[in-house]
Amino acid sequence: MGDRSMVEQAWDALEKTIIFFKGKPVGTVAALDPDIPALNYDQCFIRDFVSSALLFLIKGRPDIVRNFLEETLKLQPKTGQLECLKPSRGLMPASFKIASIIGGEYLKPDFGDHAIGRVAPADACLWWIILLRAYVISTDDRALAHRSDFQEGIRLILELCLVTRFDMYPMVLVPDGASMIDRRMGLYGHPLDIQSLFYAALRASLELLIPNQENQMIIHAVNNRLDPLLKQLQENYWIDPDRLNVIYRFQVEEYGEEALNQFNIYSDSIPFYRLAKWLPEAGGYLAGNLGPSQLDCRFFAIGNLMAIISSLANEYQSHRILNLIELRWNDLVGHMPMKLCYPALEDADWRTVTGADPKNRPWSYHNGGSWPVLLWMLTVAARKMNRAELAHHAIAIAERRLLHDHWPEYYDGPDGRLIGKEARKFQTWTIAGYLLAKELLANPHHLNLITFDTEWC
Ligand code: GLC
């Protein structure tokens, strides 16, 4: 009974977040906290809406998702390739709001040009493709994805991501703060969270693009990218006890094609003793970032969970990631599923890497805080690998607190016991993430909306 009423109350709270444009539902606001100024939390964020959208699809309410996809597509810039002061062609906004003009209303996007720190989202366009695929799987409405404006939208996103820049890696190159972690956190370059989404979006786009003359080049480019991307991530981002031993004894300053230590990682840059103690024999995970002389050994939840969901991690690796979560439960889940990244940056690292950001002080917010929205991703990853008990356990922990605490945006502390210092209450993706996790566990056939098999066409 208690459980039913928690679900009912969550639905009541979620319904209130829906926003309407010209009379049609188009999305959900980020939060409805009555006690804190809204800032931009009264906007619909693309990444935040994904949890609500998947839930609406499962619950037979595809209209709102369709409206969202159509309206956000109209916000995507289609021209202006070489202009630095305008959002790039193909970019999707981080968020949008409904604004009024005399005689009507319009959608006002934020591409990062209004956001704190002026950070542009790289994840929004990737989530958009992933959500479009989920919509098509759920409704069988291929016609929407096959419409010429949708095909163009997908092509423009891919062109933006696949463009050759200065580097010659298969990963996509992004600035710091270009994802859910939208503040400086040492994530410039090739952060895992973005690479996992990138891989899933590439896989999704192969399912969505019509194999015609117009798409031929881009389909070819996607196919060319997938293999090296997979190889790079599975091999060079992977950390487990065996791999730690290899990295520990790496030669450095190797020149030429045969170099084993391609990125010239110096052993002293890696906290071996702490890691060797922390990493269980049966565990493993994908590193947070990789670049010249840089292997960021922090654990990032979105990247690792999405790697399992998208089959970017192979079966062996997927189980090892889940083993790590299980065996280091107190660190990664604790009193609220789950940590966005682990461990937190402290002291001098916090000052230099975050720019002494007080909102991201150690064990708070993005820097080692716990985010209940991750519950649905943990549930999908665990259920996909037939380890539903992990999801049951995590949901039970969340259920003890979320309703009572009024659905906070995040929790603080090394064990996730404190409600986030500046966390919004009635945060929409906390509510939707909980409902979605419950729904996916009860009806696992819906996992196919978001998971990918190992093989692609
Ligand atoms: C914060 C988060 C971001 C989220 C937004 C709205 O800026 O860092 O990931 O999309 O709030 O919830």
Side-chain angles (χ1 to χ4, degrees):
M1 174 62 200
D3 178 40
R4 231 181 76 73
S5 83
M6 178 163 173
V7 167
E8 279 173 1
Q9 291 186 55
W11 269 108
D12 287 349
L14 181 64
E15 296 288 353
K16 290 192 192 128
T17 68
I18 297 176
I19 47 171
F20 292 82
F21 177 54
K22 297 186 178 159
K24 293 195 297 190
V26 283
T28 47
V29 291
L32 267 182
D33 189 326
D35 299 324
I36 306 186
L39 296 178
N40 55 352
Y41 282 80
D42 59 355
Q43 305 206 9
C44 176
F45 283 72
I46 292 199
R47 71 175 73 88
D48 294 42
F49 181 64
V50 172
S51 354
S52 309
L54 293 172
L55 192 60
F56 290 136
L57 289 176
I58 292 173
K59 286 296 186 186
R61 293 166 66 175
D63 285 8
I64 181 168
V65 182
R66 185 192 169 102
N67 296 338
F68 169 89
L69 289 165
E70 285 188 301
E71 293 304 332
T72 45
L73 179 62
K74 288 183 206 157
L75 301 175
Q76 180 194 43
K78 308 286 191 289
T79 53
Q81 218 180 350
L82 298 175
E83 292 189 57
C84 76
L85 295 179
K86 289 195 178 152
S88 305
R89 187 169 78 159
L91 194 71
M92 282 285 178
S95 62
F96 64 84
K97 67 177 173 189
I98 294 159
S100 310
I101 35 166
I102 306 155
E105 45 186 23
Y106 71 103
L107 293 187
K108 191 170 171 14
D110 182 357
F111 291 92
D113 40 347
H114 303 283
I116 293 167
R118 298 288 181 266
V119 280
D123 62 338
C125 58
L126 305 173
W127 276 121
W128 187 87
I129 293 184
I130 295 167
L131 183 59
L132 176 59
R133 169 185 179 261
Y135 170 84
V136 171
I137 294 173
S138 167
T139 58
D140 228 2
D141 178 9
R142 290 213 149 256
L144 182 76
H146 285 181
R147 246 168 52 185
S148 61
D149 52 341
F150 274 74
Q151 293 285 302
E152 183 194 26
I154 301 169
R155 266 198 315 273
L156 292 184
I157 292 172
L158 293 171
E159 278 170 22
L160 181 65
C161 296
L162 293 168
V163 71
T164 36
R165 293 200 175 85
F166 290 104
D167 65 351
M168 286 182 291
Y169 304 135
M171 300 90 86
V172 64
L173 177 70
V174 297
D176 211 340
S179 64
M180 169 177 176
I181 298 180
D182 50 6
R183 285 162 177 258
R184 190 175 147 198
M185 270 277 283
L187 296 177
Y188 48 83
H190 313 104
L192 176 71
D193 283 358
I194 290 289
Q195 310 310 321
S196 282
L197 289 174
F198 179 44
Y199 178 77
L202 291 183
R203 293 275 312 265
S205 65
L206 283 186
E207 294 177 28
L208 297 168
L209 285 169
I210 307 169
N212 58 18
Q213 185 75 27
E214 225 178 354
N215 292 336
Q216 201 183 340
M217 289 234 313
I218 204 79
I219 293 176
H220 183 68
V222 173
N223 275 318
N224 274 351
R225 186 63 76 96
L226 275 168
D227 255 333
L229 179 66
L230 190 73
K231 194 161 177 282
Q232 182 77 276
L233 283 141
Q234 284 189 353
E235 290 177 10
N236 286 317
Y237 281 69
W238 183 247
I239 298 179
D240 65 9
D242 286 345
R243 182 81 188 139
L244 260 192
N245 265 306
V246 174
I247 303 171
Y248 188 55
R249 292 167 55 82
F250 260 161
Q251 302 289 311
V252 292
E253 310 290 335
E254 292 173 297
Y255 177 80
E257 287 170 15
E258 303 304 315
L260 263 185
N261 183 2
Q262 282 175 37
F263 291 89
N264 203 34
I265 309 291
Y266 291 98
S267 195
D268 281 349
S269 70
I270 297 189
F272 279 106
Y273 298 146
R274 188 186 56 71
L275 255 181
K277 207 166 147 197
W278 186 74
L279 192 58
E281 207 49 41
Y285 64 102
L286 294 161
N289 204 351
L290 180 69
S293 295
Q294 188 207 13
L295 181 68
D296 183 337
C297 293
R298 283 175 291 168
F299 172 92
F300 284 86
I302 292 187
N304 275 285
L305 295 175
M306 201 62 199
I308 300 176
I309 294 168
S310 66
S311 290
L312 165 61
N314 61 33
E315 195 168 337
Y316 169 84
Q317 292 176 326
S318 298
H319 276 295
R320 292 214 144 212
I321 296 169
L322 291 173
N323 289 348
L324 177 70
I325 294 172
E326 185 170 10
L327 295 166
R328 287 291 172 258
W329 190 261
N330 286 344
D331 292 329
L332 299 176
V333 177
H335 289 265
M336 182 52 66
M338 72 177 278
K339 285 269 172 14
L340 189 55
C341 88
Y342 179 89
L345 295 163
E346 300 188 81
D347 306 318
D349 284 343
W350 166 74
R351 254 188 304 282
T352 45
V353 180
T354 74
D357 182 346
K359 196 165 176 185
N360 267 339
R361 66 194 203 296
W363 305 112
S364 185
Y365 198 43
H366 303 137
N367 186 16
S370 301
W371 290 68
V373 60
L374 298 173
L375 194 56
W376 78 261
M377 293 182 117
L378 176 60
T379 300
V380 177
R383 186 63 189 77
K384 178 180 179 223
M385 301 313 293
N386 289 320
R387 294 173 68 169
E389 74 284 356
L390 292 178
H392 280 292
H393 190 179
I395 291 175
I397 291 173
E399 276 181 335
R400 275 185 229 136
R401 311 187 52 196
L402 286 183
L403 177 65
H404 176 264
D405 295 347
H406 300 309
W407 312 102
E409 181 185 14
Y410 64 94
Y411 285 78
D412 283 355
D415 52 7
R417 195 173 259 148
L418 301 158
I419 298 175
K421 196 170 183 61
E422 293 180 47
R424 295 289 187 292
K425 300 275 182 83
F426 298 98
Q427 179 82 18
T428 306
W429 63 3
T430 298
I431 303 167
Y434 164 70
L435 288 171
L436 183 56
K438 295 279 279 187
E439 202 59 47
L440 289 167
L441 212 48
N443 301 301
H445 60 278
H446 291 304
L447 289 180
N448 71 338
L449 296 184
I450 188 82
T451 56
F452 293 78
D453 294 336
T454 322
E455 301 298 324
W456 69 85
C457 29

